[in-house]
């Protein structure tokens, strides 16, 4: 997968973007790309809800960088933030491609809750790998669709499994 490694360089723009997000020393968990239902963005919102229920929401910032093709998908995800009263979620909205690397840099880890519906190996995943990010991806059973090897180059979980994603977000925060 071609990735412009002159643009997607680990760490470049990290401090500036974290300052813009008011991230401080919080652990930034990012979802990058379209907020579509078939990619499972709403399941990362559910993880944020569980973090809140554990009394740990001040330790985390959940970053959703990217816009939508279908406006209804965004409305559903945005409404969950309000319904659950989550103040540790940041939505960027649509971004030009050359801005995405800044948000990649700001993230501590990247979560793709459901990549079982890919037409192929996604560009945003390749960019996360080029940025040296720890990746949690919901693709169990479809591992051959990506170069991610469980526990070596990322963590593979069952797609849309909020509890597995949560467990691994907490584990990566601690290590």
């Amino acid at each position: 997968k071609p990735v412009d490694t002159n643009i997607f360089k680990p760490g470049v723009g990290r401090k500036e973007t974290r300052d813009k997000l008011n991230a401080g020393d919080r652990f930034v968990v990012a979802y990058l790309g379209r907020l579509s239902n078939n990619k499972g963005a709403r399941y990362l919102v559910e993880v944020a809800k569980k973090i809140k229920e554990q009394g740990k929401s001040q330790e985390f910032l959940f970053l959703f960088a990217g816009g939508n093709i279908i406006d209804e998908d965004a409305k559903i995800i945005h409404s969950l933030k309000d319904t659950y009263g989550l103040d540790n979620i940041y939505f960027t909205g649509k971004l030009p491609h050359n801005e995405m690397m800044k948000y990649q840099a700001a993230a501590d880890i990247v979560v793709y809750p459901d990549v079982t519906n890919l037409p192929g190996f996604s560009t945003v995943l390749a960019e996360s790998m080029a940025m040296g990010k720890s990746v949690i991806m919901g693709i169990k059973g479809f591992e051959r669709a990506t170069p991610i090897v469980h526990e070596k180059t990322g963590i593979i979980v069952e797609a849309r499994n909020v509890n597995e994603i949560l467990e691994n977000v907490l584990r990566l925060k601690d290590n």
Side-chain angles (χ1 to χ4, degrees):
K1 191 72 166 183
V3 173
D4 187 341
T5 56
N6 292 315
I7 295 172
F8 288 88
K9 289 184 178 179
V12 174
R14 179 175 171 84
K15 181 183 179 339
E16 297 83 357
T17 306
R18 287 180 68 91
D19 288 347
K20 176 182 174 181
L21 296 169
N22 201 20
D25 62 354
R26 290 183 288 174
F27 192 72
V28 178
V29 180
Y31 170 96
L32 306 156
R34 290 183 290 122
L35 297 178
S36 63
N37 285 330
N38 71 328
K39 293 184 177 283
R42 71 171 296 147
Y43 299 96
L44 191 55
V45 176
E46 297 289 339
V47 170
K49 177 185 175 204
K50 286 189 174 273
I51 292 281
K52 178 182 179 181
E53 290 168 351
Q54 293 181 3
K56 298 180 180 183
S57 62
Q58 297 306 314
E59 299 174 31
F60 292 87
L61 176 64
F62 288 84
L63 168 64
F64 290 81
N68 299 76
I69 292 175
I70 302 169
D71 287 339
E72 281 303 307
D73 288 349
K75 288 178 186 175
I76 292 167
I77 294 164
H78 286 261
S79 71
L80 287 174
K81 175 188 176 190
D82 297 335
T83 299
Y84 298 152
L86 300 172
D87 59 0
N88 64 342
I89 291 183
Y90 184 94
F91 293 104
T92 66
K94 292 181 182 177
L95 294 170
H97 186 254
N98 64 350
E99 293 286 312
M100 187 61 79
M101 66 83 174
K102 295 175 186 176
Y103 293 96
Q104 289 264 17
D108 291 302
I109 65 171
V110 179
V111 179
Y112 299 104
D114 186 350
V115 290
T116 60
N117 198 17
L118 288 176
F121 175 47
S122 77
T123 300
V124 73
L125 175 59
E127 292 164 351
S128 293
M129 294 173 70
M131 295 291 285
K133 295 300 166 180
S134 295
V135 174
I136 298 172
M137 99 188 310
I139 196 167
K140 194 174 280 183
F142 297 89
E143 290 88 346
R144 289 184 158 178
T146 73
I148 298 293
V149 177
H150 183 61
E151 298 287 339
K152 292 185 181 177
T153 57
I155 296 175
I156 295 174
V157 298
E158 181 182 346
R160 302 179 178 209
N161 187 318
V162 173
N163 290 326
E164 272 192 90
I165 295 168
L166 172 65
E167 173 187 324
N168 286 289
V169 164
L170 293 171
R171 185 173 72 139
L172 288 175
K173 181 184 182 289
D174 291 339
N175 184 7

